[in-house]
Amino acid sequence: MADLRGHLCWAPETASATINTEAVNPSPAVFLATHTPLRIRRARIQDRSLIPMDGTADEGTVLADFLERRSTTGALLMPVVGDTGSGKSHLVRWVRENIPVSGDRQVIYLEKTQTSLKAVVNALLEGVDSESLSKLRADIDSFSSGLDEVALARRLINALNEALAATSPRDLSGANRILAGPRGLAVLLQDPHIQQYLLGPGKYVPLLAAQLLHDRDAASPERPAGFTVDDLPLKVREIDKAAEVSKALLSKLLSKPDLRTAAVDLLNQHIETAIQNVSSLGSGRLQQAMLQVRQEYARQGKEIILLVEDFALVQGVQRELLDALTEPAVREGTIRYAHMRTMMAVTTGYFTDLPETVMSRVSAATTGYLYDLDLIFNRQDDGAEQIASFVGRYLNAARIGQDELERSGGHRVPNICETCPVRSPCHDSFGHSPEGHGLYPFNRSALLRMVHSVAPANQPWAFVPRTVLSNVVRRVLVDDAAEISACTFPDAAFKERFPLGPEDPPLTSAVSELVNSYDQIDPQRRNTLLEFWGDAPADPAELDPGILEAFGLPPLPDEASQHRPAGPEPTPSAKGKSPAGENTPSPALRRKLEAIENWATRNLPLQQAIAGELRALIGETVFRRYNWSQPLMKEIGKTEAASRAWPNNSIVVSIEGAGGENLPGTAAAPIKFKRNTLNSQFFQSLLLAKYNSGVPRSEDIRRLARFADTKATDLAARLQQSFETSDADLTTGLRAALIGAALAGKAWPGMDDADLLSAALHDGRGWTRGDHTIRTAQWRQLLEHHLNQRKTLVEGLRAGLGLSQGIGAVQMIDAARALPLLRQAASNWTWRSPGQVPEWVKRAVTGFATWEERIDEQNTELAATLGRVRRHLPRETSGRDSVEAVQAALKEADKVGLSPTGAQQRDRLDALIAEAANADWQVVSALERDLNKISSAEADHATAVRVHAAVRDRGASLSAIEAFLTGADQWLTTALGDAGARSDLAGDAAARDVQTVLDEWAALSEGKNDDG
């Protein structure tokens, strides 16, 4: 078997030169060597539909029917229809190669590359000459040489405009009548701005002009058969440059699909008239010329055989040609024109869209049926053998090469496999066609699957020879030759090139995962081989060892087969139980499992409902296993989490190729699942476990648990992001809480961590300032607002830093997390609002932008208060001695009648003295020290010193002291004045006593050091 490893029994360059996808390209020898008989069916023409008839035919039957069928008019038309690439031209050429040589026949052959009018006309008129025919040839020669493509394209537009302008509304029906006449569709063609669009690259008119003047190269793309909606000027840029009438019609075309279809039909109906008008073929000249040709061959006693490889490409002469070739040969019992047999290849769509007048003549000339090459194979017929036969011939030709085939003449082509040294193991492993041609590097399974893969989407069982040759055979033999030789085929791109057809079962995700577990070399290639070459077996060991050897893969170990799974879904028993006794999946669950399987193995979209169910399962598992301790935070309910942080959608759990993946934020989902078989098995197990049905794989359940644990950090991050409890958010909240506490006099720079944390987490209930009377109005207003909103702020902090019992109140604070954040917050006692303030912080910090202004205002107010006190209580003066001195003076005043007049005044003075006696006189010096530090503080500590001075609660003592000193000063001043005004001896004595008291007070200020 070693000889088969990486074996190439063809040369890629030889295969490229030999395998032609166009029937006209290869030489007769290569054409005959690769020709494979395929099924051809008859179809009956019924109005514009083709009705398949019973039975099939081969090429020989078609040829015999074509040559032997009798027509009552002497003009037989045999259309060969099929989609592009179905082999129509191949059949026409095969007929040409196999028409017996006869002097009674004149064969005229129009190749699909002969698109120019000159080539078509010369081919049709070949062998016959007359003055009128010579004039026609000369006119066509002049037309072909006298115009370039650009000029012809513009002439075609103008001629088409004239033809459309001559139409009548009677030619159309309903709303489509607006397209007729000079103000209809013709308006667009005469608008210079829109003309430029119609003449742009890739549009139909320029392509038509090029191929009317020049034959098409076999390698170039085919010209479109006519106008399509894409050729309409619906995407004209700078539409404002167009005329108003043009813009109005374009607006209608854009809004009405039926009108667009009618416009395309109208253009196609009149393009031939436009071609004839610019090419001198008008007035029935070609029809008359062809009738002359038929007359001449009738005179010679010959029958005309006309073979047209693609009738759609004979544009400009189609109708006249049809009229000429369907003209009856016998008139009034006399043979006037030669009998004609015409075989023309035409796409099914083009044929059924022929004008009704043309269709009726075709139907009459065909005697009611035609041949249809749209081959549809299914598993019940012998399609696999015919495909093997078809491909086998081309494989054999590719191995032999064009030169050798030429020498053989194409009739006795050797089977090169017969002399191949590895024929036996190769055919045993890869198989061979009915003719004995080896299918390597394909086998029947791979061929069928690849053919289905490249079939039209609406016909998955269709066999399109050209597509199979170009996209399958040539692609593998030429493009993949190096990979086959290097044992790297099929590569990762193979499945992208050949997506599975809808009827081909994919390799199950269970088998794929088994391969992934046991294949340590290249599980991806093995899975592809199993799916295509192995026909997706249930056992990965079922792939032929020779195929593995050829592609360079060793067999899997024996235990891979011993452990082959049936997937997460069990095989149901007769009693509705799985082998282990679990309930088998319900039909609804089976549909879900199948959808997940198809998502992975067929690349089909996963329905949004199923994806949503999986997202909920996974997201809720992560949530329910979260322990709320890393970091410590308040536990919340699933409903609240789902509504804000952890919703059951693609923002959290993204599934590639699933519905509902278009939500903003999906790209940043923390949980993502790729489309692969591993995740398919995982998803299926989750559903089986959810519904307690079948046997979910234990490794999938463990994976879910591990998954939930590893995604805890993502959940925490989402919770912190959604509830705004990240470190940055909490730091902002803590700083806000500290400043709020500072406003209330409960926190200031320099406090220890425990006191700061206690103050920050206090909700402010019961907080009052003892010194509120010396606070500025703005300070009191800011504090009042903050305290009204502080509860929400503190609840946010506790939720972010605390642990609750269930979803109840916070019972514990995570000090390990809180303290570093607190220190960071307390490192700066200014309020610079960050870019994004958490919602739970915002209301409590209203006005905080003026925090530093309030600090400075308050310090100014405190300084003023201190100044007023110091005017009556100089430094080094004892406050308590001052109280005693005033009390003594009051007693002396009582003796001489100089006491405050009125009971109310005396009571007030007594109250002031009593408050002053109980006051803390040290508050004066403490305030003075705090204020003095502001001016001497270094820049780094200036803010902290200013805040400390402003926020400290000075209590009621300072106000009491100031009130006492002011009140006492006012009384003593009044009393002294009254004493001096007296003239009697008692008055003089009283004055002397009061003066003595004043002198003693003054002495206190001069000699005492103790404020107390």
Side-chain angles (χ1 to χ4, degrees):
M1 293 297 294
D3 293 337
L4 195 54
R5 179 185 174 90
H7 180 62
L8 287 186
C9 50
W10 68 92
E13 59 276 10
T14 301
S16 178
T18 305
I19 300 177
N20 293 282
T21 59
E22 294 283 355
V24 70
N25 287 358
S27 65
V30 176
F31 176 83
L32 293 174
T34 54
H35 172 72
T36 305
L38 289 172
R39 297 181 310 171
I40 306 168
R41 64 182 181 182
R42 290 187 179 92
R44 180 165 45 86
I45 303 173
Q46 181 173 316
D47 296 327
R48 292 187 172 276
S49 300
L50 302 181
I51 309 302
M53 301 170 64
D54 292 337
T56 59
D58 59 18
E59 292 87 339
T61 303
V62 174
L63 176 60
D65 188 21
F66 178 59
L67 295 179
E68 297 171 7
R69 190 192 310 181
R70 296 299 175 186
S71 170
T72 57
T73 64
L76 175 69
L77 181 62
M78 182 179 288
V80 176
V81 302
D83 287 337
T84 301
S86 60
K88 305 180 301 295
S89 301
H90 185 97
L91 176 59
V92 172
R93 178 169 180 186
W94 186 92
V95 167
R96 174 197 181 188
E97 298 293 342
N98 287 276
I99 292 178
V101 176
S102 171
D104 296 335
R105 297 191 182 103
Q106 178 66 32
V107 178
I108 301 174
Y109 190 64
L110 293 183
E111 297 180 7
K112 64 193 308 180
T113 55
Q114 293 177 329
T115 59
S116 68
L117 275 178
K118 179 177 180 180
V120 170
V121 171
N122 286 339
L124 292 173
L125 305 185
E126 185 179 3
V128 180
D129 203 1
S130 69
E131 183 177 348
S132 61
L133 295 184
S134 296
K135 181 66 169 63
L136 177 59
R137 290 188 181 97
D139 288 344
I140 293 298
D141 285 345
S142 175
F143 161 78
S144 300
S145 59
L147 288 174
D148 60 22
E149 297 172 14
V150 175
L152 177 56
R154 195 167 295 280
R155 285 196 183 185
L156 285 172
I157 289 286
N158 293 332
L160 187 55
N161 168 44
E162 294 177 3
L164 292 173
T167 58
S168 168
R170 293 189 300 273
D171 301 330
L172 299 169
S173 61
N176 298 338
R177 290 193 176 97
I178 66 171
L179 299 174
R183 296 186 63 79
L185 196 56
V187 165
L188 299 182
L189 273 68
Q190 69 185 14
D191 189 304
H193 186 62
I194 295 178
Q195 270 195 11
Q196 288 303 114
Y197 178 86
L198 296 173
L199 294 171
K203 297 301 179 184
Y204 173 66
V205 173
L207 292 175
L208 173 63
Q211 293 194 10
L212 285 173
L213 294 176
H214 312 291
D215 289 337
R216 183 178 71 91
D217 184 86
S220 64
E222 293 184 0
R223 186 179 68 207
F227 284 97
T228 66
V229 172
D230 290 338
D231 293 300
L232 295 177
L234 304 177
K235 300 179 181 177
V236 176
R237 295 182 179 178
E238 300 177 341
I239 189 62
D240 290 341
K241 293 183 179 180
E244 290 300 323
V245 64
S246 300
K247 288 189 283 187
L249 183 55
L250 277 176
S251 177
K252 291 183 174 65
L253 288 172
L254 284 167
S255 61
K256 298 180 179 180
D258 291 345
L259 193 63
R260 295 197 291 269
T261 302
V264 170
D265 290 343
L266 196 61
L267 288 169
N268 286 327
Q269 289 172 22
H270 291 83
I271 187 62
E272 185 163 323
T273 300
I275 293 173
Q276 291 175 353
N277 288 340
V278 300
S279 63
S280 303
L281 282 176
S283 304
R285 290 185 72 190
L286 182 62
Q287 180 185 6
Q288 293 303 316
M290 278 300 299
L291 291 177
Q292 288 185 43
V293 171
R294 287 186 64 183
Q295 285 178 331
E296 174 59 26
Y297 285 121
R299 187 186 64 76
Q300 297 178 19
K302 290 185 177 181
E303 180 181 55
I304 300 176
I305 304 292
L306 176 61
L307 303 174
V308 184
E309 281 193 354
D310 192 341
F311 184 72
L313 297 181
V314 192
Q315 291 178 338
V317 299
Q318 291 165 334
R319 295 190 187 180
E320 291 204 7
L321 182 60
L322 278 174
D323 288 342
L325 60 87
T326 57
E327 184 71 25
V330 179
R331 291 282 186 88
E332 299 176 354
T334 303
I335 298 177
R336 294 188 59 183
Y337 305 113
H339 285 68
M340 284 206 69
R341 297 181 183 274
T342 303
M343 176 178 288
M344 63 181 189
V346 57
T347 60
T348 306
Y350 186 86
F351 180 79
T352 55
D353 287 342
L354 285 172
E356 188 173 343
T357 54
V358 177
M359 196 70 166
S360 61
R361 299 198 69 169
V362 169
S363 299
T366 60
T367 67
Y369 70 87
L370 47 70
Y371 287 100
D372 185 358
L373 266 67
D374 283 333
L375 304 176
I376 306 295
F377 294 139
N378 55 52
R379 294 189 185 277
Q380 282 68 49
D381 56 29
D382 61 348
E385 291 306 300
Q386 295 202 43
I387 292 174
S389 179
F390 176 87
V391 173
R393 290 174 183 267
Y394 277 95
L395 292 174
N396 189 55
R399 293 165 185 145
I400 295 174
Q402 185 173 357
D403 294 342
E404 187 62 33
L405 290 174
E406 296 286 357
R407 284 191 287 271
S408 72
H411 293 285
R412 295 182 178 179
V413 181
N415 180 0
I416 200 169
C417 288
E418 293 178 356
T419 59
C420 178
V422 294
R423 174 180 179 276
S424 179
C426 179
H427 285 202
D428 289 344
S429 298
F430 289 88
H432 55 80
S433 72
E435 294 77 23
H437 301 131
L439 298 180
Y440 175 78
F442 309 95
N443 66 358
R444 276 171 171 74
S445 172
L447 273 177
L448 279 176
R449 287 171 175 262
M450 294 165 80
V451 167
H452 296 162
S453 176
V454 300
N458 60 336
Q459 293 180 308
W461 290 93
F463 179 78
V464 184
R466 183 190 302 170
T467 304
V468 172
L469 288 177
S470 60
N471 293 348
V472 177
V473 180
R474 279 179 60 95
R475 189 74 176 269
V476 172
L477 296 190
V478 178
D479 296 348
D480 295 333
E483 287 76 13
I484 293 174
S485 179
C487 290
T488 59
F489 174 84
D491 59 14
F494 180 88
K495 288 196 67 174
E496 295 179 11
R497 301 195 326 245
F498 300 108
L500 283 180
E503 297 300 325
D504 292 318
L507 188 67
T508 67
S509 58
V511 173
S512 178
E513 277 311 295
L514 187 66
V515 170
N516 292 341
S517 299
Y518 283 94
D519 188 340
Q520 304 301 316
I521 298 176
D522 199 336
Q524 183 182 55
R525 280 208 306 134
R526 188 183 300 272
N527 280 328
T528 303
L529 288 173
L530 282 167
E531 189 164 71
F532 279 79
W533 279 258
D535 203 20
D539 185 344
E542 290 183 13
L543 188 61
D544 190 284
I547 294 177
L548 291 174
E549 177 67 22
F551 292 123
L553 286 175
L556 289 176
D558 293 340
E559 56 264 30
S561 291
Q562 296 170 5
H563 292 91
R564 70 182 180 90
E569 178 185 348
T571 303
S573 66
K575 294 183 179 180
K577 298 285 185 177
S578 71
E582 291 80 359
N583 291 330
T584 59
S586 65
L589 178 54
R590 286 182 182 276
R591 286 191 293 271
K592 293 178 182 180
L593 299 176
E594 183 178 359
I596 295 172
E597 185 75 7
N598 287 333
W599 165 77
T601 59
R602 291 188 178 277
N603 284 339
L604 295 181
L606 185 61
Q607 297 95 316
Q608 186 168 349
I610 300 174
E613 189 173 358
L614 293 168
R615 292 182 183 118
L617 275 169
I618 296 164
E620 289 184 12
T621 299
V622 175
F623 182 83
R624 296 186 188 284
R625 288 178 66 93
Y626 186 60
N627 60 16
W628 304 95
S629 62
Q630 295 177 340
L632 203 65
M633 68 175 74
K634 179 182 182 296
E635 184 175 348
I636 61 173
K638 179 64 179 75
T639 301
E640 185 179 3
S643 66
R644 296 180 57 180
W646 203 248
N648 295 329
N649 58 35
S650 64
I651 295 176
V652 171
V653 180
S654 174
I655 302 174
E656 181 183 6
E661 289 286 303
N662 57 347
L663 295 176
T666 296
I671 304 174
K672 294 183 178 181
F673 290 98
K674 290 290 187 182
R675 188 204 300 266
N676 56 44
T677 54
L678 176 64
N679 289 331
S680 170
Q681 290 283 286
F682 179 58
F683 290 161
Q684 292 181 60
S685 288
L686 294 188
L687 291 185
L688 290 172
K690 175 183 178 180
Y691 293 103
N692 192 26
S693 179
V695 183
R697 300 195 316 171
S698 58
E699 58 264 41
D700 290 328
I701 305 304
R702 292 193 297 270
R703 180 188 178 193
L704 179 63
R706 292 194 305 271
F707 195 86
D709 293 339
T710 59
K711 293 301 177 181
T713 54
D714 294 301
L715 172 57
R718 283 300 178 103
L719 289 168
Q720 291 176 15
Q721 178 184 5
S722 180
F723 290 92
E724 299 176 301
T725 55
S726 67
D727 285 357
D729 293 326
L730 291 172
T731 300
T732 299
L734 285 168
R735 181 169 292 131
L738 289 175
I739 290 176
L743 281 168
K746 305 301 180 183
W748 52 82
M751 289 179 67
D752 61 45
D753 291 344
D755 291 338
L756 283 175
L757 184 61
S758 177
L761 297 179
H762 196 289
D763 62 10
R765 285 183 296 180
W767 277 0
T768 57
R769 288 197 69 108
D771 62 355
H772 68 278
T773 57
I774 62 172
R775 294 285 124 184
T776 64
Q778 293 87 346
W779 186 286
R780 292 196 300 269
Q781 183 180 2
L782 186 60
L783 173 59
E784 180 182 6
H785 176 83
H786 172 77
L787 291 178
N788 288 336
Q789 303 296 331
R790 185 174 177 88
K791 180 181 179 182
T792 301
L793 168 65
V794 173
E795 285 177 348
L797 286 172
R798 292 177 180 177
L801 296 169
L803 180 66
S804 60
Q805 184 69 32
I807 58 174
V810 171
Q811 303 294 324
M812 183 186 305
I813 295 297
D814 184 0
R817 184 183 184 205
L819 288 177
L821 302 180
L822 177 73
R823 290 167 187 148
Q824 183 178 351
S827 67
N828 185 348
W829 285 80
T830 61
W831 181 259
R832 297 288 185 266
S833 179
Q836 185 67 34
V837 177
E839 287 295 326
W840 50 271
V841 175
K842 282 184 177 179
R843 291 185 178 180
V845 298
T846 300
F848 274 25
T850 64
W851 160 245
E852 292 188 74
E853 294 178 31
R854 303 289 84 83
I855 290 293
D856 292 338
E857 290 172 355
Q858 188 60 54
N859 282 330
T860 300
E861 179 64 23
L862 289 171
T865 300
L866 179 63
R868 291 191 297 272
V869 169
R870 283 302 184 199
R871 280 200 300 271
H872 304 296
L873 184 70
R875 292 179 182 84
E876 311 302 331
T877 300
S878 169
R880 296 190 183 280
D881 289 348
S882 297
V883 172
E884 291 174 358
V886 171
Q887 287 175 326
L890 189 58
K891 287 179 181 180
E892 294 300 322
D894 286 340
K895 296 175 182 180
V896 296
L898 292 176
S899 302
T901 59
Q904 188 175 5
Q905 291 184 355
R906 177 56 185 266
D907 290 344
R908 170 169 169 72
L909 185 56
D910 287 341
L912 291 176
I913 293 172
E915 289 177 2
N918 294 322
D920 178 8
W921 286 81
Q922 292 183 355
V923 71
V924 177
S925 57
L927 173 61
E928 193 166 41
R929 286 194 299 271
D930 287 344
L931 291 176
N932 288 336
K933 289 179 181 178
I934 295 176
S935 59
S936 61
E938 296 180 359
D940 292 344
H941 300 94
T943 299
V945 171
R946 287 168 50 233
V947 172
H948 186 275
V951 306
R952 288 290 299 269
D953 192 337
R954 307 296 170 174
S957 293
L958 191 60
S959 295
I961 290 170
E962 181 184 5
F964 160 73
L965 292 174
T966 302
D969 180 70
Q970 291 174 349
W971 167 70
L972 288 171
T973 301
T974 301
L976 183 61
D978 290 344
R982 292 185 179 185
S983 60
D984 56 10
L985 294 175
D988 293 340
R992 287 193 295 271
D993 292 338
V994 171
Q995 185 64 53
T996 300
V997 172
L998 293 175
D999 291 343
E1000 291 175 355
W1001 193 358
L1004 288 174
S1005 65
E1006 293 174 359
K1008 296 293 183 181
N1009 296 321
D1010 183 10
D1011 285 336

